[in-house]
Amino acid sequence: MVNTLPQPEVKPGIKAPAKETVLTPRFYTTDFEAAASLDLSAQEKELQAMLAEMRADYNRHHFVRDEEFEQSWEHIDGEARRAFIEYLERSCISEFSGFLLFKELSRKLKQRSPLLAEIFQLMARDEARHAGFLNKAMGDFKLSLDLGEVTKVRTYTFFPLEWVLYTVYLSEKIGYWRYIIIYHHLQKHSEHQFYPIFRKFESWCQDENRHGDIFKALLRSQPQLWNNWRSRLWSRFFLLSVFATHTLTVHERASFYHLLGLEPTEFDQQVVRNTNETAGRAFPVMLNTEHPHFFPRLQNCSNYNLKIAEISRSSSNKVVKFIRKLPLITAILWNLLLVYLIKPIDTEVLRGTVR
């Protein structure tokens, strides 16, 4: 279920939010009653330990704009400027989406599940810091997002709680791998370190990792999410959905990764492989990324998506555009189905073994 509200009025210096598409970050709501009713006993010890870490707030002094930011950034111009602002906006909206969901979960669970309520409150704190830091970075380029206004006009999508647990876990873990890979790459290739926000990624990604571990504990506390055939099918579906979205968006924004000195396809595959391996610690299955057709079929989807984007930018009328896009959309869905049907790896069988 979605709720679509009117578009915002754009003010001077305020960036109009990018048009929402299937691939843009979304705002979510969920079944708060189901969240309040979760039996956490199987993972309560782990959750209490992570709550203690959150209370310690190791990154409380990390998100500070130091002297490196106090300079003109007019030399970043043209396509580089556009690509970087687009990256900052997408990242800011993604982090702000997490803030809104966690804040509402905390508010709704305060009376029924104090442990979860405090965890979500502290996770919301982290996400708000991330979003604010990214928005201030946009300010260096004389633009920013009116996040208060965005909350009023953005589309909110309802996800059942089970879907939220799967997808947020994956989004936090894939965020961790994206941040840490970029950070280590730039440590080795400082000539591509064109803006100081990337120096913050090492500590930043630890927030993402900790959030993912919390959702792993929530998943493992609910046997119905990992011990039956339905959970195996859903795990495959969400893994593929997140990986396909990543592949398509990385190649849509290839110019940004070239700015960092990264080859987009190599970066995408490294992130997907690492996230898939990490997900095997929480999910009952992980995808077989080493299958010879896995990445080629995802690359096919990316190529078709780039052609769809070209059609969208053309001067043809909407009907003609739709007719031209339809076979490409069909081809993407067909390739995704073929990837989904690749036999997955049973991680429950491997659990407890050294991999």
Side-chain angles (χ1 to χ4, degrees), residues 288-333:
N288 183 4
T289 58
E290 301 311 311
H291 189 283
H293 292 160
F294 184 87
F295 282 115
R297 292 204 179 279
L298 287 185
Q299 188 62 50
N300 289 344
C301 293
S302 176
N303 294 337
Y304 295 136
N305 181 60
L306 292 176
K307 291 179 182 178
I308 289 171
E310 287 181 14
I311 294 170
S312 294
R313 292 190 296 267
S314 73
S315 58
S316 302
N317 64 52
K318 290 183 178 179
V319 174
V320 172
K321 286 182 180 180
F322 176 75
I323 293 172
R324 292 175 63 195
K325 288 178 182 179
L326 192 57
L328 297 170
I329 294 170
T330 303
I332 289 175
L333 294 175

Side-chain angles (χ1 to χ4, degrees), residues 39-48 50 115 216-222:
D39 178 4
L40 305 176
S41 56
Q43 295 288 321
E44 186 169 358
K45 183 177 179 181
E46 287 78 3
L47 288 168
Q48 289 285 4
M50 284 182 279
L115 171 61
K216 173 192 171 185
L218 293 176
L219 276 163
R220 299 304 293 186
S221 73
Q222 308 303 306

Side-chain angles (χ1 to χ4, degrees), residues 56-305:
D57 196 7
Y58 299 115
N59 280 343
R60 63 186 176 278
H61 301 306
H62 182 68
F63 296 97
V64 177
R65 286 170 57 85
D66 53 31
E67 64 277 2
E68 275 195 285
F69 290 88
E70 302 303 321
Q71 58 178 289
S72 170
W73 300 102
E74 293 303 315
H75 62 282
I76 302 176
D77 55 11
E79 173 59 19
R81 190 182 187 93
R82 184 205 64 78
F84 186 44
I85 290 174
E86 184 179 52
Y87 170 79
L88 292 172
E89 177 187 0
R90 182 182 177 86
S91 300
C92 181
I93 290 293
S94 180
E95 299 283 357
F96 191 61
S97 170
F99 160 73
L100 291 175
L101 178 62
F102 298 155
K103 180 183 177 183
E104 189 64 6
L105 278 163
S106 176
R107 188 177 72 83
K108 296 282 189 179
L109 302 182
K110 193 170 184 179
Q111 301 302 322
R112 297 275 303 279
S113 182
L115 171 61
L116 269 188
E118 186 176 2
I119 287 174
F120 283 124
Q121 177 190 3
L122 296 176
M123 290 174 70
R125 172 202 67 194
D126 294 345
E127 300 290 311
R129 283 177 181 163
H130 301 169
F133 205 70
L134 289 158
N135 209 14
K136 287 179 181 177
M138 288 180 65
D140 288 337
F141 298 88
K142 299 180 173 59
L143 287 171
S144 63
L145 292 169
D146 185 341
L147 295 175
E149 185 67 21
V150 169
T151 62
K152 303 173 186 176
V153 301
R154 196 76 174 183
T155 298
Y156 286 75
T157 303
F158 177 84
F159 262 21
L161 182 64
E162 292 83 357
W163 294 11
V164 168
L165 296 182
Y166 285 125
T167 56
V168 175
Y169 169 77
L170 285 172
S171 69
E172 297 288 353
K173 288 301 185 180
I174 203 168
Y176 166 79
W177 283 112
R178 285 171 55 80
Y179 284 133
I180 200 64
I181 289 170
I182 289 173
Y183 175 80
H184 286 311
H185 166 75
L186 292 178
Q187 288 295 296
K188 295 177 182 177
H189 302 280
S190 59
E191 69 274 17
H192 297 295
Q193 185 84 256
F194 66 86
Y195 186 76
I197 199 170
F198 302 112
R199 300 187 196 279
K200 305 287 184 179
F201 277 11
E202 184 180 31
S203 295
W204 190 321
C205 74
Q206 297 309 319
D207 285 344
E208 307 289 325
N209 201 35
R210 189 176 298 110
H211 295 180
D213 287 344
I214 288 168
F215 274 84
K216 173 192 171 185
L218 293 176
L219 276 163
R220 299 304 293 186
S221 73
Q222 308 303 306
Q224 73 277 13
L225 298 183
W226 53 267
N227 74 347
N228 56 52
W229 64 269
R230 289 186 184 86
S231 63
R232 294 169 186 275
L233 294 179
W234 279 120
S235 295
R236 290 165 69 181
F237 173 79
F238 286 114
L239 282 163
L240 180 56
S241 297
V242 168
F243 295 161
T245 300
H246 189 262
T247 297
L248 268 57
T249 54
V250 165
H251 289 92
E252 272 189 347
R253 294 160 178 80
S255 57
F256 168 71
Y257 296 98
H258 289 144
L259 278 176
L260 297 175
L262 287 163
E263 201 291 309
T265 299
E266 291 179 5
F267 172 73
D268 170 55
Q269 293 185 8
Q270 187 178 2
V271 170
V272 168
R273 282 192 173 99
N274 288 342
T275 306
N276 186 59
E277 182 73 18
T278 300
R281 301 167 193 168
F283 287 7
V285 296
M286 61 183 182
L287 303 186
N288 183 4
T289 58
E290 301 311 311
H291 189 283
H293 292 160
F294 184 87
F295 282 115
R297 292 204 179 279
L298 287 185
Q299 188 62 50
N300 289 344
C301 293
S302 176
N303 294 337
Y304 295 136
N305 181 60

Side-chain angles (χ1 to χ4, degrees), residues 323-350:
I323 293 172
R324 292 175 63 195
K325 288 178 182 179
L326 192 57
L328 297 170
I329 294 170
T330 303
I332 289 175
L333 294 175
W334 176 246
N335 275 271
L336 291 177
L337 175 62
L338 293 176
V339 175
Y340 184 82
L341 294 176
I342 294 172
K343 185 178 179 180
I345 297 167
D346 188 337
T347 55
E348 295 301 322
V349 171
L350 299 175

